[in-house]
Amino acid sequence: MAIFTLATYHCLAFVWYFFVAYSITHVRTEERPSEVFLYGGQWKYLTVLNLALQAVFYGVSFLADVLRLMKKLRCAKCVISSRDLLFSVLAFPVSTFVCLSFWMLYTYNRELVYPKSLDRVIPLWLNHAMHTAVLPFAVLEILATPHRYPAKKKGLILLGFVAFLYISWVLWIYSVTGEWVYPLFALFSPAGLAAFFAGSLGVVISFYNFGEFLNRMIW
C-alpha cells in the first residue's frame, strides 16, 4: 500500500477510535444502571482500555507514515519500532480477545458481561464500535502493512506483564468496592477465578501467536 494511502487510513482509524473512546467516556453517569458502579470510571473495563490502546496505536502509525513521507527516515525507524511492538504485543491480541470473548459470553448470557439495562445508556452502534469493529480493524492492519514482531520471549513477557497489571486493577477494584467489574467473576471461587484468568491469558497468547502467523504468511 502506498505510504500516502496508508497515512490516510491510519489517520482515519485514529480519528475513529478517538471519537469512539470519547463517546463512551462521556456517557452521562446520572443515567447509568444501578448495577454499574462509578469506582474506576469506564477505565475499569478492558473494552474501554482497548479503545484507548487502539487510538494510541493508530496515532503512532500515522506519525510513522508522516515521517516517511517527509523522508525523516531515522526518526521514522524509531517510531516504526514502537508501532510494531504496540501492534504485535497488544493491539492485535487484545482487540481479538475483546471481540471474540465478548460476543461468546454475550450469546451465552449477556447479563454476565453486558446487562440489558446498558441498552438504555449505550446505543447499538457504540456497542458494535467497541466490541465488533475492533477485530476487522486489526485484521485490516495486518493486510495493510507488515509488522516486525519482537523475539517470542520478549513479546510474551510484555504481554504477560500487561495482563498482570489489568488483573491487579480488577482485583484492587473488588477489594475497594466489593463489586466485580464483570458479573461473570462472581460465579467463580477463588481457585476458579485464578483458573479463569490463567485460561484467558492462554487465549490471548494464542491470539498473539495467530497474529504473528498471519503477518508471516502474508508478508
Side-chain angles (χ1 to χ4, degrees), residues 99-151:
C99 178
L100 297 183
S101 63
F102 175 83
W103 287 113
M104 287 176 63
L105 290 168
Y106 185 98
T107 302
Y108 173 71
N109 182 358
R110 67 171 295 177
E111 296 299 317
L112 297 176
V113 290
Y114 195 84
K116 190 173 179 60
S117 56
L118 286 175
D119 291 343
R120 303 195 311 267
V121 182
I122 300 175
L124 182 62
W125 74 265
L126 187 52
N127 181 17
H128 282 293
M130 295 187 297
H131 297 116
T132 306
V134 292
L135 182 55
F137 267 105
V139 174
L140 182 58
E141 177 63 23
I142 284 185
L143 297 174
T145 187
H147 297 84
R148 184 181 297 275
Y149 273 65

Side-chain angles (χ1 to χ4, degrees), residues 3 6 64-71 73 76 80 83:
I3 298 178
L6 196 60
D65 298 334
V66 170
L67 289 173
R68 290 170 66 193
L69 287 171
M70 296 173 62
K71 307 299 183 182
L73 300 183
I80 288 171
R83 179 203 69 183

Side-chain angles (χ1 to χ4, degrees), residues 9 13 30 46 79 94 122 148 176 178 196:
Y9 162 65
E30 65 269 17
L46 183 60
V79 177
V94 174
I122 300 175
R148 184 181 297 275
V176 172
F196 176 81

Side-chain angles (χ1 to χ4, degrees), residues 54-67:
Q54 301 301 323
V56 170
F57 165 71
Y58 283 104
V60 171
S61 298
F62 177 59
L63 176 60
D65 298 334
V66 170
L67 289 173

Side-chain angles (χ1 to χ4, degrees), residues 192-212:
L193 191 61
F196 176 81
F197 285 147
S200 297
L201 177 58
V203 171
V204 175
I205 289 174
S206 71
F207 292 149
Y208 171 94
N209 290 327
F210 181 61
E212 185 178 31

Side-chain angles (χ1 to χ4, degrees), residues 53-54 56-58 60-61 64 76-94 141 145-162 208 211-212 215:
L53 167 66
Q54 301 301 323
V56 170
F57 165 71
Y58 283 104
V60 171
S61 298
K77 184 176 181 180
C78 296
V79 177
I80 288 171
S81 295
S82 299
R83 179 203 69 183
D84 290 347
L85 190 65
L86 271 173
F87 181 78
S88 60
V89 175
L90 295 177
F92 181 82
V94 174
E141 177 63 23
T145 187
H147 297 84
R148 184 181 297 275
Y149 273 65
K152 183 61 68 70
K153 182 178 179 180
K154 178 183 177 182
L156 294 182
I157 287 175
L158 289 173
L159 179 57
F161 178 70
V162 173
Y208 171 94
E212 185 178 31
N215 185 73

